[in-house]
């Protein structure tokens, strides 16, 4: 570790959040190196990882993470992980009568998890899988060894039909205190489902609360300079209510720390009228409550909108992904999140969470929208001015928050991050005397090039940005969702059979368009009588008065996004809502 490390604790609340989080942690794991000869990288991994030691004295490096999910959501993953051997239960058996044992077969592991088990045991996989040295392998394999070996069989993993839960593609070890299983509700089946906001709110008490407080205390106590919490929370089901209570607890218990909350919603959800109402109501209440308790709140979804009948999912020109597959959609969001969270994870020139939040969440505007170019369209061997000059008509990024850009250049604040241009030129190398093909080609730093380009669309918007050369490394079992137009580093040129890394450009924005987005969300939940249409939603809370208060809070929040001239991007129906 070099210099001051401001630690971050991650919380993942809900099954889709754990899908996105698993891809995100796999991306972090792919960039790790324990080789002391390797120069320190741009990203300070100790911000989100912790070093520990097993009872046997083996050094471990695990995420500083608390992941909450429902009964039946782990499948082959043990709740306590596999770094520590819990040993056999030596408690005395007092029953003296006859015993009948019923043994249930464990779920079958997919090919990736089987190979991962062999690597963990120090076994050498068959030559059909690997063409590696026959030297005996140590029982404790380094991350570099695992990464390089898995990379050799990347073409062999096609897990689209084999991923049922997030642990089916988890490639890292978790600390025994990471996973928290909520036994009151089932992950599968029709009975005992966590579907409504009020159910989630009611969960944070008793053993669930004690378990969370114990885990938080453990991770917080070992931090020297805790900067805050990044919270991934499902918006579309009852975890929205649980997340509301969790972030409220964090705000009360850790005042002054950053709480950056990312609200996750999958493209697909149960196709029924009542489920659609539940989805809308959960997302509406999540936005009102999570934004209130967080330094900022950013929805992350590839849905075209959060309403009952959203437009088509977000499409990317250089991705071939199936929006209905959680395994695919979560990988796209994880790539974007890898760049979005970079500013407070850098070794040098980092911006702590509070600075990122203060830049964006001004004057009570605590809801922000994310956009991303996944991947950023850059030709191999070209320069950043070349890539951006090809996008003069429209910005290359697409909505990641179900909130289209306004297109009128109005934005209160913006934070842009370009990640993964390693090996490419940030400025033009035109020969002296050559006329620059664009104003961007005459600039002398990558920061100036990117800033000038963004300001051509947002001329008066305050802008903060970071450029990081390190790419997002795509190692097994990241899905191969890339077209043949990309090379192995994710740049546009010679097609590659496997893409091993990609450049990504992201933007976090606060602007008047969010006022329209919030008003639309408010109007969608206000146009029907919840007591008549969805009375079961209120059966376990919230109370009707609390529900109406949350809607009013959302309406007032939308008014914070009126522009400085006194106007706001609203339709006539929105004007009526204010009366």
């Amino acid at each position: 570790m070099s210099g001051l490390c401001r630690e971050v604790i991650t919380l993942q609340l809900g099954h889709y959040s754990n899908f996105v989080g698993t891809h995100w942690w796999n991306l972090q794991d792919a960039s790790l190196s324990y080789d002391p000869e390797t120069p320190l990288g741009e990203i300070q991994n100790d911000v989100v990882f912790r070093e520990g030691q097993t009872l046997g004295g083996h050094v471990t490096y695990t995420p500083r993470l608390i992941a909450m999910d429902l009964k039946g959501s782990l499948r082959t993953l043990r709740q306590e992980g596999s770094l520590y051997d819990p040993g056999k239960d030596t408690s005395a058996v007092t029953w003296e009568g006859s015993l009948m044992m019923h043994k249930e077969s464990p779920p079958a592991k997919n090919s990736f998890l089987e190979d991962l088990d062999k690597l963990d045991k120090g076994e050498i996989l068959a030559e059909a899988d690997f063409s590696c040295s026959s030297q005996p392998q140590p029982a404790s394999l380094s991350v570099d060894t695992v990464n390089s070996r898995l990379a050799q069989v990347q073409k062999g993993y096609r897990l689209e039909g084999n991923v049922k839960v997030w642990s089916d593609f988890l490639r890292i070890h978790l600390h025994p205190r990471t996973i928290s299983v909520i036994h009151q509700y089932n992950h599968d089946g029709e009975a005992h489902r966590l579907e409504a906001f009020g159910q989630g709110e009611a969960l944070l008490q008793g053993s669930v609360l004690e378990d969370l407080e114990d885990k938080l205390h453990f991770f917080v106590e070992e931090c020297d300079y805790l900067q805050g919490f990044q919270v991934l929370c499902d918006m579309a089901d009852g975890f929205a209510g649980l997340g509301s209570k969790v972030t409220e607890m964090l705000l009360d218990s850790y005042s002054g720390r950053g709480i950056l909350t990312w609200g996750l919603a999958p493209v697909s959800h149960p196709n029924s009228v009542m489920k659609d109402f539940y989805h809308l109501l959960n997302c509406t209440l999540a936005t009102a409550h999570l934004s209130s308790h967080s330094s900022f709140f950013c929805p992350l979804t590839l849905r075209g909108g959060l309403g009952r009948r959203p437009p088509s999912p977000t499409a990317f020109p250089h991705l071939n992904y199936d929006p209905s597959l959680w395994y695919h959609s979560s990988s796209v969001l994880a790539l974007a999140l890898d760049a979005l969270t970079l500013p407070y994870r850098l070794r040098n020139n980092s911006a702590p969470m509070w600075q990122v939040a203060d830049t964006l969440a001004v004057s009570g505007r605590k809801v922000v929208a994310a956009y991303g170019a996944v991947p950023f369209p850059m030709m191999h061997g070209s320069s950043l001015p070349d890539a951006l000059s090809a996008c003069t008509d429209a910005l290359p990024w697409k909505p990641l928050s179900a909130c289209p850009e306004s297109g009128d250049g109005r934005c209160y604040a913006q934070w842009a991050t370009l990640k993964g241009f390693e090996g490419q030129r940030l400025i033009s190398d035109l020969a002296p005397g050559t006329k620059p093909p664009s104003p961007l080609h005459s600039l002398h730093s990558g920061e100036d090039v990117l800033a000038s380009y963004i300001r051509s669309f947002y001329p008066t918007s305050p802008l903060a940005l970071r450029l990081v050369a390190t790419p997002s490394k795509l190692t097994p079992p990241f899905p191969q969702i890339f077209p043949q137009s990309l090379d192995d580093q994710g740049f546009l040129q010679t097609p590659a059979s496997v893409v091993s890394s990609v450049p990504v450009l992201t933007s976090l924005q606060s602007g008047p368009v969010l006022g329209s987005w919030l008003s639309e969300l408010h109007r969608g939940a206000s146009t029907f009588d919840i007591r008549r249409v969805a009375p079961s939603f209120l059966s376990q809370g919230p109370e009707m008065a609390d529900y109406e208060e949350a809607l009013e809070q959302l309406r007032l929040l939308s008014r914070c996004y009126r522009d400085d001239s006194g106007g706001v991007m609203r339709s006539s129906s929105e004007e009526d809502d204010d009366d």
Side-chain angles (χ1 to χ4, degrees), residues 65-136:
L65 166 68
I66 299 171
M68 303 183 75
D69 215 325
L70 305 179
K71 183 172 63 175
S73 63
L74 300 183
R75 278 176 55 82
T76 61
L77 180 66
R78 285 163 41 184
Q79 182 175 346
E80 68 277 6
S82 57
L83 283 179
Y84 294 75
D85 183 5
K88 296 181 179 179
D89 185 3
T90 57
S91 59
V93 178
T94 57
W95 175 256
E96 297 179 355
S98 61
L99 296 173
M100 181 176 293
M101 179 143 334
H102 297 272
K103 188 173 182 181
E104 183 180 357
S105 299
K109 292 188 176 183
N110 59 45
S111 58
F112 166 74
L113 293 179
E114 288 178 347
D115 288 351
L116 205 58
D117 281 347
K118 294 177 183 178
L119 289 173
D120 282 339
K121 295 173 183 176
E123 299 174 6
I124 300 176
L125 300 190
E127 291 184 6
D129 294 329
F130 296 121
S131 56
C132 59
S133 168
S134 60
Q135 293 291 325

Side-chain angles (χ1 to χ4, degrees), residues 290-560:
L290 292 174
S291 61
S292 174
H293 303 150
S294 304
S295 305
F296 75 53
F297 170 71
C298 179
L300 280 183
T301 181
L302 298 180
R303 287 170 57 93
L306 295 182
R308 293 179 52 215
R309 296 175 181 85
S312 300
T314 303
F316 299 86
H318 302 291
L319 284 185
N320 292 331
Y321 83 102
D322 183 346
S324 66
L325 284 181
W326 286 21
Y327 177 53
H328 277 193
S329 64
S330 61
S331 72
V332 179
L333 293 178
L335 272 176
L337 194 62
D338 191 25
L340 291 168
T341 58
L342 260 183
Y344 53 86
R345 296 190 292 119
L346 294 175
R347 188 176 304 279
N348 300 305
N349 198 29
S350 67
M353 282 182 162
W354 63 263
Q355 183 179 335
V356 177
D358 284 354
T359 301
L360 295 167
V362 179
S363 301
R365 306 181 190 113
K366 296 173 72 173
V367 177
V368 299
Y371 304 87
V374 184
F376 174 60
M378 192 170 186
M379 292 287 292
H380 185 85
S382 69
S383 66
L384 183 59
D386 293 334
L388 295 175
S389 296
C391 306
T392 54
D393 295 332
L395 287 153
W397 52 56
K398 303 295 181 183
L400 299 174
S401 299
C403 180
E405 285 186 284
S406 64
D408 62 0
R410 291 191 291 171
C411 183
Y412 298 129
Q414 183 171 182
W415 197 292
T417 302
L418 174 61
K419 183 180 192 294
F421 54 83
E422 193 171 64
Q424 309 303 303
R425 290 176 286 110
L426 291 179
I427 59 175
S428 177
D429 61 350
L430 296 175
T434 304
K435 182 180 179 179
S438 78
L440 297 179
H441 288 79
S442 63
L443 300 175
H444 302 294
S445 74
E447 288 79 4
D448 288 344
V449 170
L450 184 57
S452 177
Y453 172 76
I454 294 175
R455 287 195 173 110
S456 68
F457 293 89
Y458 293 97
T460 61
S461 167
L463 173 66
L465 50 82
R466 291 291 186 273
L467 276 66
V468 179
T470 306
S472 296
K473 296 181 180 178
L474 311 181
T475 50
F478 196 91
Q480 284 300 311
I481 54 177
F482 305 96
Q484 291 296 308
S485 58
L486 301 185
D487 68 7
D488 62 336
Q489 293 178 297
F491 298 111
L492 302 175
Q493 200 178 27
T494 307
S497 57
V498 175
V499 177
S500 59
S501 65
V502 290
V504 175
L505 174 65
T506 59
S507 171
L508 279 174
Q509 297 181 18
S510 172
V513 68
L514 278 161
S516 296
W517 184 86
L518 290 165
S519 293
E520 182 69 25
L521 193 61
H522 172 268
R523 188 165 57 253
S526 303
T527 52
F528 58 89
D529 184 352
I530 188 174
R531 288 167 292 194
R532 182 179 62 84
V533 175
S536 59
F537 187 84
L538 299 176
S539 62
Q540 298 188 57
E543 298 290 338
M544 189 62 196
D546 294 332
Y547 173 73
E548 292 174 339
E549 182 181 347
L551 289 185
E552 176 64 9
Q553 181 181 340
L554 196 65
R555 188 185 71 85
L556 294 176
L557 181 61
S558 71
R559 294 171 64 90
C560 293

Side-chain angles (χ1 to χ4, degrees), residues 34-333:
Y34 290 147
D35 186 353
E37 302 299 321
T38 302
L40 294 175
E42 297 171 286
I43 302 171
Q44 191 167 39
N45 296 306
D46 289 346
V47 170
V48 294
F49 282 92
R50 61 176 297 280
E51 187 174 292
Q53 196 173 65
T54 67
L55 297 176
H58 298 289
V59 175
T60 61
Y61 203 55
T62 54
R64 197 177 289 107
L65 166 68
I66 299 171
M68 303 183 75
D69 215 325
L70 305 179
K71 183 172 63 175
S73 63
L74 300 183
R75 278 176 55 82
T76 61
L77 180 66
R78 285 163 41 184
Q79 182 175 346
E80 68 277 6
S82 57
L83 283 179
Y84 294 75
D85 183 5
K88 296 181 179 179
D89 185 3
T90 57
S91 59
V93 178
T94 57
W95 175 256
E96 297 179 355
S98 61
L99 296 173
M100 181 176 293
M101 179 143 334
H102 297 272
K103 188 173 182 181
E104 183 180 357
S105 299
K109 292 188 176 183
N110 59 45
S111 58
F112 166 74
L113 293 179
E114 288 178 347
D115 288 351
L116 205 58
D117 281 347
K118 294 177 183 178
L119 289 173
D120 282 339
K121 295 173 183 176
E123 299 174 6
I124 300 176
L125 300 190
E127 291 184 6
D129 294 329
F130 296 121
S131 56
C132 59
S133 168
S134 60
Q135 293 291 325
Q137 300 296 312
S140 178
L141 293 169
S142 72
V143 172
D144 284 335
T145 304
V146 174
N147 286 347
S148 60
R149 287 177 153 200
L150 285 174
Q152 296 180 53
V153 293
Q154 189 163 5
K155 288 189 292 185
Y157 295 126
R158 292 294 181 266
L159 301 181
E160 280 73 7
N162 297 312
V163 170
K164 295 180 173 60
V165 297
W166 51 270
S167 60
D168 285 338
F169 59 96
L170 177 71
R171 59 173 284 152
I172 60 174
H173 286 297
L174 301 177
H175 190 273
R177 292 181 184 262
T178 281
I179 298 177
S180 180
V181 175
I182 298 171
H183 293 279
Q184 292 94 318
Y185 293 99
N186 294 325
H187 168 65
D188 288 316
E190 293 299 320
H192 303 291
R193 301 301 300 271
L194 184 60
E195 296 178 320
F197 188 90
Q199 291 175 296
E201 275 192 312
L203 270 176
L204 201 62
Q205 57 184 316
S207 60
V208 176
L209 175 60
E210 291 173 6
D211 182 60
L212 177 60
E213 288 179 332
D214 177 65
K215 292 180 186 323
L216 275 172
H217 180 77
F218 173 79
F219 287 114
V220 168
E221 282 298 303
E222 63 180 15
C223 294
D224 294 322
Y225 302 97
L226 176 67
Q227 61 171 305
F229 307 85
Q230 55 181 16
V231 182
L232 281 62
C233 179
D234 284 10
M235 296 177 65
D237 57 22
F239 274 103
L242 178 62
S244 169
K245 288 299 184 182
V246 169
T247 50
E248 183 179 22
M249 184 188 75
L250 293 176
L251 183 62
D252 292 340
S253 302
Y254 303 98
S255 177
R257 311 296 184 185
I259 304 173
L260 305 189
T261 303
W262 310 88
L264 280 300
V267 171
S268 58
H269 61 280
N271 188 20
S272 74
V273 174
M274 189 55 63
K275 299 294 185 185
D276 284 343
F277 277 118
Y278 271 48
H279 179 278
L280 172 62
L281 294 171
N282 286 326
C283 288
T284 301
L285 293 175
T287 302
H289 288 276
L290 292 174
S291 61
S292 174
H293 303 150
S294 304
S295 305
F296 75 53
F297 170 71
C298 179
L300 280 183
T301 181
L302 298 180
R303 287 170 57 93
L306 295 182
R308 293 179 52 215
R309 296 175 181 85
S312 300
T314 303
F316 299 86
H318 302 291
L319 284 185
N320 292 331
Y321 83 102
D322 183 346
S324 66
L325 284 181
W326 286 21
Y327 177 53
H328 277 193
S329 64
S330 61
S331 72
V332 179
L333 293 178

